[in-house]
Amino acid sequence: MKFAVITFPHCLDTDTGTAAGPKALLQAGLTDWLREQGHAVAGPFHVQLTPEEEAAYGAWNQIGFANAHLARLVSDAVTAHAFPLLLESNCYAAIGALAGLQQSAGLPSPRLGMIWIDAHGDCNTPETTLSGMLSGMPVAIATGLCLDRLRRQAGLDPPIDPRDVVMVGVRANEPLEQELIDESGIEIVPVIDIKGDCRQLRAAMNRLSSTADLIYIHFDADALDQAEVASMRLTESNGPMRTELAAALEIIMAYPKVAALGIADINPEGDVDGQMVQAALAVIKGGIAGVAG
């Protein structure tokens, strides 16, 4: 296969350490490993703001600009018949990833699906959030539940249908966030299924593949059990181990509608012996095996 490696190193002040995450994955040999497996690699291509955008008012506004650049790079990669592999500082890059797939589809209104692999649903709005973090809102933004201006600025228009989102391994939602997820019809595949026979995961993928034109896969490293990523700022216990999540991602990415994979929230600051990076790489390699097969 041909992969286009794209980095999104842009972060807000509250989580600047993850800006180094894409570089850490590259330094750990991700592209070299891809080539060793016989794949072609284009890039890495880096999302960069113009001087005017750097000087623009508002940190959230700048994230919108960065997502618009990411969307163009994703669309270019798909047009060049390369599978976009996105190394993202944070989960809000999913908005640009979806926008890029939407722009590349060649359809008036393509139906996009999203698999959200994360310990957190990230489906808060400014009205429901306890933390006030933009990184806790990307699913709500992508599905049109809040911050429409930022979504349109990134190029995602119309938003995706909440019923076309499947959350995998999510186990730490805020109370009002969980209410919003339930009301929106978003499906959750629990950790126990990932640790078991993945029957519910396969059923969700079959359903989504039957309706969506393209599917985006988002993987936040904190989806892994706390023991696997102990140095992360937001970790949760009772999650899947790297081997379990790698096997699940291989199942997911074997479906032909899967069109891009994003990896987010790697923070090399304080990463003891590179544990976080190596755990994430193990999961990524599972996904690559699925899509290449």
Side-chain angles (χ1 to χ4, degrees), residues 227-238:
E228 292 276 33
V229 287
S231 58
M232 288 191 73
R233 185 167 59 93
L234 297 174
T235 60
E236 299 292 339
S237 58
N238 302 315

Side-chain angles (χ1 to χ4, degrees), residues 123-124 128 173-185:
C123 194
N124 269 305
T128 67
N173 292 332
E174 296 174 6
L176 294 180
E177 177 186 23
Q178 186 61 56
E179 285 185 17
L180 189 58
I181 289 170
D182 294 340
E183 292 169 359
S184 301

Side-chain angles (χ1 to χ4, degrees), residues 20-31:
K23 184 177 180 180
L25 288 171
L26 292 174
Q27 290 179 333
L30 176 58
T31 55

Side-chain angles (χ1 to χ4, degrees), residues 65-150:
F65 286 132
N67 269 293
H69 289 296
L70 176 61
R72 284 189 286 272
L73 289 172
V74 169
S75 180
D76 289 347
V78 175
T79 301
H81 305 290
F83 185 93
L85 187 58
L86 314 180
L87 312 183
E88 306 165 354
S89 62
N90 209 281
C91 297
Y92 34 66
I95 305 163
L98 289 165
L101 292 182
Q102 191 178 70
Q103 294 164 18
S104 73
L107 299 170
S109 185
R111 187 165 180 174
L112 301 181
M114 179 166 66
I115 302 296
W116 192 262
I117 307 171
D118 199 314
H120 311 92
D122 291 346
C123 194
N124 269 305
T125 71
E127 290 78 20
T128 67
T129 180
L130 292 174
S131 68
M133 295 169 58
L134 182 65
S135 56
M137 304 182 194
V139 174
I141 297 170
T143 54
L145 298 176
C146 68
L147 301 180
D148 289 342
R149 182 181 181 279
L150 192 155

Side-chain angles (χ1 to χ4, degrees), residues 164-243:
D164 291 331
V165 176
V166 176
M167 294 181 172
V168 177
V170 169
R171 56 196 184 275
N173 292 332
E174 296 174 6
L176 294 180
E177 177 186 23
Q178 186 61 56
E179 285 185 17
L180 189 58
I181 289 170
D182 294 340
E183 292 169 359
S184 301
I186 294 173
E187 181 179 357
I188 297 180
V189 175
V191 173
I192 192 172
D193 185 73
I194 304 306
K195 287 180 169 290
D197 58 9
C198 292
R199 182 177 302 178
Q200 189 173 338
L201 177 66
R202 294 177 194 273
M205 287 302 302
N206 288 336
R207 175 184 67 80
L208 200 55
S209 293
S210 70
T211 56
D213 297 301
L214 299 171
I215 301 172
Y216 170 63
I217 313 300
H218 176 83
F219 163 51
D220 185 325
D222 71 17
L224 288 160
D225 187 82
Q226 192 173 46
E228 292 276 33
V229 287
S231 58
M232 288 191 73
R233 185 167 59 93
L234 297 174
T235 60
E236 299 292 339
S237 58
N238 302 315
M241 306 305 287
R242 69 182 71 181
T243 53

